[in-house]
């Protein structure tokens, strides 16, 4: 909890306490004024008067604390994610850019909660994330498709926000105009759903282009595939050669040891 939120919560508690003690003080004072003339001043009347006086004093203290705190300037609000300086700083960091995108996505999704196009909006989010991964690979003839996809996504998001705004306004409209507004909303929602479907088709076509662009023209395998096979075979041959050299050295050492022992035996005789 930040200092600004804590400040306003304390101010609210003091104001509530001051009001409660003011009401109690007024109630006890009224009871003492009404009940005292019936039987004169007694122990019960002293209790009523003490309760009224104590409540009034506590109410005065609480109002004094409230006025003193209200005269103090409130702490500045913490920097929000949407502030230009913080957003610009986060945009320069890859992880910060990802966080900003996720925050904006969740904010837009929250604005559409309960809407008739919520499911289509989720499909648009999934397709947009897929397209973001394909953008770096859409080169050459596929580059215009990336530009078209970015424009289409922006249009669909603006259309979705408009559909949600119209939908929220339907219960507030006059009954005579509600049917017209509902038809307009249904038309916009249908246009949005069809647009999301076409955007998904565009993403699928982009994925097909990226997949085909990764294949060579003559063979179904990429040249890097055969390079990997050749490198593996070469390393395997080197490993086998080193193993043969090691076993050959062991055999040579085994042969030399008996010959040396035989020579030493002949010398002794």
């Amino acid at each position: 909890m930040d200092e600004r939120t804590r400040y306003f919560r304390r101010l609210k508690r003091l104001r509530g306490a001051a009001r409660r003690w003011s009401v109690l003080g007024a109630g006890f004072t009224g009871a003492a004024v009404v009940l005292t003339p019936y039987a004169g001043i007694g122990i019960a009347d002293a209790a009523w008067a003490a309760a009224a006086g104590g409540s009034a004093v506590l109410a005065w203290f609480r109002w004094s604390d409230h006025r003193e705190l209200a005269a103090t300037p409130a702490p500045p609000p913490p920097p929000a994610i949407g502030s230009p300086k913080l957003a610009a700083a986060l945009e320069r960091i890859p992880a910060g850019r990802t966080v900003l995108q996720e925050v904006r996505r969740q904010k837009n999704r929250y604005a559409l909660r309960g809407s008739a196009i919520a499911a289509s909006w989720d499909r648009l989010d999934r397709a947009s994330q897929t397209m973001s991964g394909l953008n770096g690979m859409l080169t050459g003839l596929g580059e215009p498709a990336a530009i078209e996809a970015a424009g289409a996504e922006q249009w669909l998001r603006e259309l979705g926000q408009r559909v949600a705004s119209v939908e929220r306004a339907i219960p507030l409209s006059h009954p005579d105009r509600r049917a017209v507004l509902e038809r307009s909303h249904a038309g916009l929602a249908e246009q949005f759903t069809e647009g999301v479907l076409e955007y998904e088709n565009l993403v699928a076509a982009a994925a097909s282009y990226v997949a085909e662009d990764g294949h060579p023209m003559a063979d179904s395998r990429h040249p890097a595939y055969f390079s990997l096979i050749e490198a593996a075979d070469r390393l395997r041959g080197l490993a086998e050669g080193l193993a043969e050299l090691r076993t050959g050295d062991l055999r040579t050492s085994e042969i030399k040891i008996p010959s040396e022992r035989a020579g030493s035996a002949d010398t002794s005789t």
Side-chain angles (χ1 to χ4, degrees):
M1 184 187 302
D2 59 281
E3 293 295 330
R4 185 178 178 87
T5 304
R6 190 178 294 109
Y7 169 85
F8 282 109
R9 285 193 176 183
R10 186 185 174 195
L11 191 67
K12 184 178 180 180
R13 284 197 300 268
L14 286 175
R15 183 169 59 250
R19 288 176 177 176
R20 285 192 299 271
W21 285 114
S22 298
V23 172
L24 286 175
F28 285 133
T29 302
V33 170
V34 171
L35 296 177
T36 298
Y38 282 98
I41 299 177
I43 298 177
D45 300 310
W48 284 113
S55 301
V57 171
L58 286 174
W60 182 82
F61 278 126
R62 291 295 175 267
W63 281 117
S64 298
D65 293 339
H66 178 268
R67 284 192 298 270
E68 183 179 356
L69 184 62
T72 305
I81 291 294
S83 62
K85 291 184 179 179
L86 183 58
L90 290 176
E91 285 286 352
R92 289 192 285 269
I93 308 171
R97 194 179 307 115
T98 303
V99 170
L100 275 179
Q101 291 174 356
E102 182 63 21
V103 168
R104 290 165 182 164
R105 189 181 70 83
Q106 292 295 336
K107 180 181 178 181
N108 293 332
R109 180 64 181 82
Y110 182 77
L112 271 75
R113 66 189 187 281
S115 176
I117 61 168
S120 299
W121 186 273
D122 291 338
R123 288 167 48 200
L124 177 61
D125 275 341
R126 289 192 294 270
S128 173
Q129 291 175 3
T130 305
M131 194 67 194
S132 297
L134 297 172
N135 279 335
M137 294 174 280
L138 286 173
T139 56
L141 297 176
E143 190 173 357
I147 300 174
E148 291 292 336
E153 181 186 356
Q154 183 179 0
W155 168 71
L156 284 171
R157 293 194 181 279
E158 292 176 356
L159 179 60
Q161 295 292 341
R162 182 174 301 181
V163 173
S165 300
V166 173
E167 186 174 353
R168 287 192 294 268
I170 289 176
L172 306 177
S173 62
H174 195 272
D176 296 338
R177 297 285 301 171
R178 187 169 300 174
V180 178
L181 194 59
E182 288 176 349
R183 285 195 297 269
S184 300
H185 170 263
L188 290 173
E190 183 179 2
Q191 185 180 6
F192 177 79
T193 304
E194 292 176 354
V196 171
L197 179 60
E198 293 301 325
Y199 183 81
E200 290 174 336
N201 293 334
L202 176 61
V203 174
S208 300
Y209 172 82
V210 169
E212 294 300 328
D213 189 50
H215 290 310
M217 297 297 294
D219 202 321
S220 60
R221 300 286 186 180
H222 197 274
Y225 173 79
F226 298 104
S227 299
L228 288 174
I229 294 178
E230 292 176 2
D233 292 339
R234 186 164 56 252
L235 287 175
R236 192 178 298 110
L238 290 172
E240 292 174 356
L242 292 173
E244 291 178 0
L245 288 174
R246 184 176 58 81
T247 54
D249 292 339
L250 290 175
R251 289 176 183 175
T252 303
S253 62
E254 289 176 357
I255 293 172
K256 287 180 179 179
I257 290 172
S259 61
E260 291 175 357
R261 288 179 179 176
S264 61
D266 293 341
T267 305
S268 62
T269 56

